[in-house]
Amino acid sequence: MPIARSNGLKIAYEVFGDGPPLVLHPGMFQIGAHWTEAGYTSVLATTHTVILVDPLGLGASDAPQDKAAYALSKRADSITAVLDEVGADKAAYWGYSLGALTGFAVAVHAPERLTRLVAGAFDPIDGFDSALDLMRGELGLPADADMYPLIEQGSAADPTLAAVIEAANPAALRANYAAFSTEPGLHAQLAEVDVPMLMYAGADDMWHDAMHTFAERTGTPFTSVPGLGHVAAWSDSAAVLPVVLPFLAADRAS
């Protein structure tokens, strides 16, 4: 895989198709190739130069064990480094879950590199903490309970994610989680960003209402995908692509 370098670390990526550049960034315990497996890449590559990124700590990218390496500004740096490597001054960006958080980080720290931003299923108001509060409440656990082992165990029930987890450095996964799970929501900064943005979430997603609230406050377009939860609104590309394609089409017209 091609490699970009960001803050001395390798960021792996792949490129498909032709047209305006579009970065696709997956969620927690996922790599860039999962977009292809879920049916997105083949469709998007007919109109865009699709850039699939392996997030720091996963896949073929480097896996630092220092929490500071996964700070939001560093996440943004990893995307701009890939854009530099492929020779793109600007690109559209589509991220899901943790990938959406990374997109928020790029919008805040390097908005001049984005033509538009698609954010799927991540809370821009309270960040990942809102999911942790919900999980602790449902399980009757104290507010300081460490949820990472349960999250990893639940994710590993999916064979595709299990393969990524097993191949990764456990300490790097922990450092990544320690960083993003404690980041505050970026709603105030995002509200000031002048980047066209589309948000979406499955109607049954835990972060649906938070995204909807942010969208209403800021006038950001938001689409609720009926009948889908967090995982399904990722895996069901046939339901999601019609939501996003009209928004991305503006890059081809410009």
Side-chain angles (χ1 to χ4, degrees):
M1 294 176 68
I3 295 293
R5 290 195 174 272
S6 175
N7 297 300
L9 299 169
K10 295 186 297 183
I11 307 297
Y13 66 94
E14 294 183 279
V15 179
F16 300 91
D18 186 41
L22 168 64
V23 175
L24 299 183
H25 194 298
M28 185 179 183
F29 301 135
Q30 291 182 313
I31 58 176
H34 287 155
W35 288 93
T36 301
E37 294 171 12
Y40 292 93
T41 305
S42 60
V43 175
L44 294 168
T46 64
T47 56
H48 288 77
T49 298
V50 176
I51 306 163
L52 306 178
V53 177
D54 277 3
L56 195 65
L58 297 169
S61 292
D62 275 346
Q65 300 176 31
D66 179 7
K67 174 183 174 181
Y70 301 92
L72 289 182
S73 61
K74 302 292 181 63
R75 293 185 192 277
D77 287 346
S78 69
I79 301 305
T80 59
V82 171
L83 294 181
D84 290 343
E85 189 66 22
V86 300
D89 292 333
K90 295 186 175 186
Y93 178 102
W94 182 354
Y96 192 78
S97 195
L98 181 57
L101 174 62
T102 301
F104 295 159
V106 180
V108 168
H109 292 282
E112 72 282 358
R113 304 302 300 270
L114 297 180
T115 60
R116 58 196 56 249
L117 169 63
V118 180
F122 192 86
D123 185 348
I125 299 175
D126 294 317
F128 197 76
D129 196 50
S130 59
L132 296 177
D133 285 343
L134 179 63
M135 286 186 279
R136 290 185 184 114
E138 289 178 344
L139 296 171
L141 296 174
D144 61 350
D146 179 12
M147 299 304 295
Y148 179 77
L150 292 177
I151 293 171
E152 182 183 292
Q153 181 180 10
S155 298
D158 180 328
T160 303
L161 301 185
V164 174
I165 294 169
E166 290 169 4
N169 182 302
L173 293 180
R174 259 293 191 176
N176 187 4
Y177 172 81
F180 75 72
S181 65
T182 55
E183 291 284 1
L186 290 175
H187 55 102
Q189 299 97 311
L190 282 174
E192 300 298 322
V193 169
D194 188 23
V195 173
M197 192 182 317
L198 170 67
M199 292 184 168
Y200 72 94
D204 298 331
D205 193 295
M206 58 190 168
W207 284 320
H208 175 279
D209 292 349
M211 296 194 86
H212 189 203
T213 296
F214 174 86
E216 286 190 326
R217 289 176 182 173
T218 59
T220 301
F222 172 80
T223 297
S224 175
V225 187
L228 300 183
H230 191 76
V231 174
W234 155 261
S235 59
D236 192 349
S237 59
V240 174
L241 280 165
V243 170
V244 178
L245 287 175
F247 181 74
L248 293 177
D251 270 346
R252 297 169 58 209
S254 61

